Amino acid sequence: MRTYCIINSDEVESVDFNQVLQTSSDTLRYSVDGSQALLKYEGTQPSFLEGKTQYTHSEIIAILATDEWTSDEPI
Amino acid sequence: MSTITPTTSSTRPTGVQGRIAFETDTKNIIVYDGADWRGYASDGVSGWSGSNTYSLNFDGTDDRLDAGSVVTPSANSGTISAWIKTTSTAYQAIVSTADTSGISTWGWMAVFNNKLRITFRESDGTIKTADGSTAINDGNWHHVVAVSSGTAYSLYVDGSAETLTNSNNDGTWFGDLTSLTSTNIGSHVRSSAGNFFSGNIDEVAVWDSALNSSQITNIYKGESNGGSGGTNGTPSNLLSFNPKAWWRMGDGAEANSGTIIYDMSTFSNNMTMVSSPAYQSDTP
């Protein structure tokens, strides 16, 4: 089961990418204004994410569909 | 007893005319013709093991595959084929090629408004689009195909041509665009990645020519090129159709392990996982 967290972008440098499913800061998904980043992990919550709100898949999908995370670029 | 030099698709030896090598990652034999390497596909033992066991699951948040280059960049006509399974109502990418440094040009096959879409954007901002008519986000596997004849798009779902809703449908394809930088599966990547696919994708293939309706029907039925048999909804070996890329999503040389999805055509357009697409034993 995957668990999702949102962190502030200035916290990305403290992420241990060995403990999350993403591999680098370059390929993280950021909010439209760049102020937040998405992390996800399986199993035990990484210590550096303690205190952060944890989201299920359906919860994070709803969040990511908002204007805060999905830009309205021409398509 | 002589042996053929082993190599990999990323570490090919210096080309000397007539030199032969064996790529351990793609299982293909390659021959240097004096100007370029020519590939000869394996006999199907690796490219097609006799079954389709795995697909890749994309969680719709940030999972994708990135080729790191443009697949069929010069094609003025072409075909994209994939099997998908989704329940999402989002505007989501299946296969996309774009200028990843910005939003100037792109071409992508997507699920839009729950239906299949092909859309291209030229550098002057003109957008060319064809939308299908069949809802494909019902949680079942569907075979989806987008074709450009060079002058018009056509779309197919489960072997049948779609009734189209068009906007500037003139068949614009990748060779008509400038500044393209990379091909992705499961996301439309412009200045940043977006339009993430939520669900499963399997057996994706690309051609630099327009397949005809009989060929598309045969792919849907798991029949070889030119054959007359097969069973609806059954992916099979695509090598007889000579694809320019064929990603088997777990059943290729990756053998449902690792972060590289190998191109099982002869062209080595391997894809790299970004974030965490997952192998699943869920197939059409």
Side-chain angles (χ1 to χ4, degrees):
Chain A
M1 178 81 68
R2 292 181 176 184
T3 303
Y4 301 82
C5 284
I6 292 171
I7 65 171
N8 295 323
S9 293
D10 58 10
E11 298 172 308
V12 168
E13 62 184 20
S14 65
V15 171
D16 178 355
F17 283 97
N18 292 314
Q19 297 187 62
V20 295
L21 292 170
Q22 294 97 338
T23 55
S24 77
S25 59
D26 293 338
T27 55
L28 288 181
R29 180 169 179 178
Y30 292 90
S31 58
V32 172
D33 67 4
S35 67
Q36 300 176 92
L38 172 70
L39 291 175
K40 56 188 177 183
Y41 61 92
E42 291 177 338
T44 306
Q45 183 184 39
S47 57
F48 61 84
L49 290 177
E50 285 180 3
K52 296 291 184 186
T53 303
Q54 301 174 59
Y55 300 101
T56 65
H57 182 249
S58 59
E59 289 170 338
I60 201 69
I61 286 290
I63 291 170
L64 297 177
T66 64
D67 292 344
E68 198 172 2
W69 286 87
T70 299
S71 66
D72 193 22
E73 290 178 342
I75 52 178
Chain B
M1 177 178 171
S2 61
T3 59
I4 298 175
T5 305
T7 185
T8 71
S9 57
S10 60
T11 59
R12 289 174 174 172
T14 301
V16 176
Q17 191 171 39
R19 186 168 190 169
I20 301 173
F22 172 66
E23 292 181 343
T24 57
D25 53 347
T26 66
K27 314 302 181 192
N28 293 335
I29 299 291
I30 58 173
V31 180
Y32 197 75
D33 66 4
D36 202 354
W37 287 99
R38 301 292 177 181
Y40 296 84
S42 69
D43 64 1
V45 172
S46 291
W48 182 254
S49 59
S51 63
N52 180 35
T53 306
Y54 296 96
S55 64
L56 269 186
N57 178 264
F58 298 77
D59 72 359
T61 67
D62 61 357
D63 292 339
R64 62 186 169 97
L65 302 179
D66 193 336
S69 60
V70 177
V71 179
T72 66
S74 303
N76 298 111
S77 61
T79 304
I80 303 169
S81 168
W83 294 78
I84 65 165
K85 176 182 174 181
T86 183
T87 57
S88 174
T89 57
Y91 188 8
Q92 48 185 335
I94 303 168
V95 181
S96 168
T97 297
D99 169 9
T100 57
S101 65
I103 61 169
S104 62
T105 54
W106 68 65
W108 54 311
M109 183 169 76
V111 183
F112 174 73
N113 231 2
N114 309 327
K115 303 177 181 69
L116 185 61
R117 161 175 276 194
I118 186 74
T119 182
F120 280 71
R121 183 187 192 273
E122 298 202 71
S123 56
D124 66 359
T126 307
I127 294 178
K128 322 292 179 69
T129 298
D131 288 310
S133 51
T134 303
I136 52 176
N137 64 333
D138 58 0
N140 296 315
W141 281 101
H142 292 286
H143 181 227
V144 293
V145 178
V147 180
S148 168
S149 65
T151 56
Y153 303 122
S154 51
L155 299 173
Y156 294 80
V157 172
D158 296 335
S160 298
E162 290 280 273
T163 300
L164 300 182
T165 301
N166 294 315
S167 176
N168 300 319
N169 180 350
D170 66 356
T172 293
W173 208 247
F174 303 112
D176 300 315
L177 304 181
T178 58
S179 307
L180 298 174
T181 53
S182 190
T183 298
N184 279 257
I185 293 176
S187 176
H188 184 32
V189 183
R190 291 166 285 174
S191 53
S192 61
N195 300 94
F196 293 98
F197 189 86
S198 181
N200 290 61
I201 300 178
D202 200 9
E203 304 293 330
V204 180
V206 174
W207 289 262
D208 62 357
S209 61
L211 298 188
N212 61 42
S213 60
S214 296
Q215 291 174 304
I216 292 165
T217 296
N218 277 8
I219 292 173
Y220 174 60
K221 298 171 74 172
E223 177 60 283
S224 59
N225 194 11
S228 57
T231 303
N232 289 341
T234 310
S236 189
N237 191 343
L238 295 180
L239 292 178
S240 66
F241 296 88
N242 296 314
K244 296 299 181 185
W246 178 26
W247 300 283
R248 301 218 48 223
M249 305 299 187
D251 295 292
E254 64 273 7
N256 68 291
S257 178
T259 58
I260 303 296
I261 298 296
Y262 289 92
D263 174 7
M264 300 311 293
S265 77
T266 59
F267 294 95
S268 303
N269 294 299
N270 300 334
M271 289 268 187
T272 301
M273 289 185 185
V274 177
S275 196
S276 52
Y279 297 107
Q280 287 188 347
S281 53
D282 181 350
T283 58

